[in-house]
Amino acid sequence: MNIGIIGAGKVGIALGRTLKARGFHIAVIASRRTASLDEARRYLGDESAYTLDNLAVFDAADVVAVTTQDREIRKVADEAFAAGLPLDGKVVFHTSGAHASTELSPLDRKGAFLGSFHPLQTFPDIDSGVAVLPETSIFIEGDEKALSVLRTLASAAGREWVLLAKEHKVLYHLSAVFVCNLLAALLHSGEAIMKRIDIDLTPFYPIIRATLKNIEAKGPLFSLTGPVVRGDAGTIASHLDAMDGMERQKEVYRSLSRVALEMAEERGTLTAEQIAALKALLKG
Ligand SMILES: NC(=O)c1ccc[n+]([C@@H]2O[C@H](COP(=O)([O-])OP(=O)(O)OC[C@H]3O[C@@H](n4cnc5c(N)ncnc54)[C@H](OP(=O)(O)O)[C@@H]3O)[C@@H](O)[C@H]2O)c1
């Protein structure tokens, strides 16, 4: 298959590079800026064509990956639709976790089969994307004809493919935001507390890694330790006092400690009196 990529960014280049290494032909890559195409060329070499014209990709490729930012996907589709290109039998997919394949929907009226292909992974830069893609689960969704191509690409580029229903896309993405993006926000929140005593995250990485390892082995419920699950109301009261003037941290602490309290209740680690005392302390 002739693969084309629109959007020479982190995901587009990492995906192109990985597929090329697995023997796929990356025919053409388009982007808005020459600098992005130069970067793509460093990873994909001179066998691919590079262009500032998205329509050239729709013309030359039979499988088109739209790897632009989410907000640009519909614009790329609208541009191809308005140009009136025949897309009969072509497969067009995007790599957004938040949107379903319908984000490309004018193009099915031109004969294209549509899909979405989301590597459940974080790509802060191209090299780390290339490094982690092979161990990544790729969630796919779309028309049956598109899915047969996406299954092949996902099996080649990632660890496995997982089929997702269109209507589950938002909850799927929300799950990823909770466990990945908001985890970073939580650690950033914790850093602000550390700054008060002039320490940073460095000595905390071993405990963070051990927690993630435990979670992977036994799930979050049975990995929870700390004052809530032990019913140490005095410790929690001292934490809340120490966050004087740190309203954001207090809000996060209370909210997540209430979740921890529900977990402790589920595990049956606390007496009814301990639960009542903690609930009183943690109410917002
Ligand atoms: N980063 C992640 O962690 C991650 C993980 C999984 C999935 N995704 C998804 O993958 C997609 C790409 O994300 P990314 O992080 O790779 O973004 P990115 O690094 O910002 O790259 C997007 C690229 O698209 C190009 N572009 C934007 N509008 C365009 C247009 N109208 N025509 C042609 N090219 C255009 C930009 O090129 P120029 O530089 O030329 O302007 C930019 O380099 C998004 O849908 C995102 O949700 C991202």
Side-chain angles (χ1 to χ4, degrees):
M1 67 180 88
N2 265 342
I3 299 174
I5 295 172
I6 298 180
K10 297 180 285 293
V11 170
I13 298 176
L15 179 63
R17 164 83 169 210
T18 306
L19 289 174
K20 185 182 171 185
R22 305 283 183 273
F24 288 84
H25 177 51
I26 310 300
V28 54
I29 298 124
S31 214
R32 290 176 305 196
R33 294 180 309 124
T34 309
S36 301
L37 293 175
D38 291 344
E39 182 76 336
R41 194 189 298 271
R42 288 205 312 113
Y43 286 87
L44 293 164
D46 288 328
E47 293 146 39
S48 306
Y50 297 88
T51 175
L52 295 167
D53 177 10
N54 293 342
L55 299 180
V57 178
F58 284 102
D59 198 33
D62 35 51
V63 174
V64 178
V66 180
T67 57
T68 63
Q69 295 89 339
D70 289 11
R71 62 179 177 277
E72 291 290 321
I73 297 168
R74 192 172 283 273
K75 288 187 210 165
V76 169
D78 286 344
E79 182 191 0
F81 183 79
L85 297 175
L87 300 174
D88 297 297
K90 298 198 183 218
V91 169
V92 184
F93 69 89
H94 66 69
T95 54
S96 164
H99 294 296
S101 51
T102 43
E103 193 67 3
L104 296 160
S105 66
L107 300 183
D108 47 0
R109 285 189 268 144
K110 295 285 179 201
F113 298 107
L114 307 182
S116 69
F117 175 104
H118 183 250
L120 182 55
Q121 192 50 270
T122 175
F123 292 71
D125 55 62
I126 300 164
D127 289 326
S128 58
V130 171
V132 294
L133 201 45
E135 66 194 46
T136 299
S137 297
I138 299 180
F139 282 69
I140 57 172
E141 162 277 317
D143 303 332
E144 194 39 54
K145 188 80 193 294
L147 285 176
S148 71
V149 169
L150 298 188
R151 280 192 285 264
T152 304
L153 297 182
S155 303
R159 185 169 71 95
E160 58 170 359
W161 55 265
V162 184
L163 190 62
L164 199 60
K166 231 180 245 11
E167 60 277 17
H168 291 168
K169 198 84 204 230
V170 174
L171 288 178
Y172 159 72
H173 191 242
L174 181 58
S175 308
V177 167
F178 256 80
V179 302
C180 171
N181 308 153
L182 296 185
L183 180 61
L186 181 65
L187 297 190
H188 182 70
S189 230
E191 262 184 321
I193 297 172
M194 295 165 202
K195 275 189 193 137
R196 286 199 155 182
I197 51 166
D198 278 336
I199 56 174
D200 66 17
L201 267 172
T202 313
F204 290 85
Y205 287 125
I207 191 178
I208 294 169
R209 276 196 294 271
T211 304
L212 289 179
K213 213 169 157 189
N214 292 337
I215 289 171
E216 204 169 344
K218 16 182 196 212
L221 185 63
F222 291 99
S223 302
L224 178 68
T225 57
V228 172
V229 82
R230 287 194 298 265
D232 285 337
T235 305
I236 293 168
S238 72
H239 287 168
L240 289 167
D241 282 348
M243 283 186 282
D244 196 30
M246 304 186 86
E247 287 316 306
R248 175 72 71 233
Q249 276 73 13
K250 233 185 207 175
E251 189 187 329
V252 170
Y253 182 95
R254 278 208 178 99
S255 200
L256 289 180
S257 294
R258 285 199 293 265
V259 176
L261 185 52
E262 284 166 13
M263 293 164 77
E265 285 186 76
E266 198 176 331
R267 273 172 48 183
T269 59
L270 302 176
T271 64
E273 294 73 39
Q274 284 174 313
I275 292 168
L278 293 185
K279 274 191 179 154
L281 260 178
L282 293 171
K283 61 175 194 273

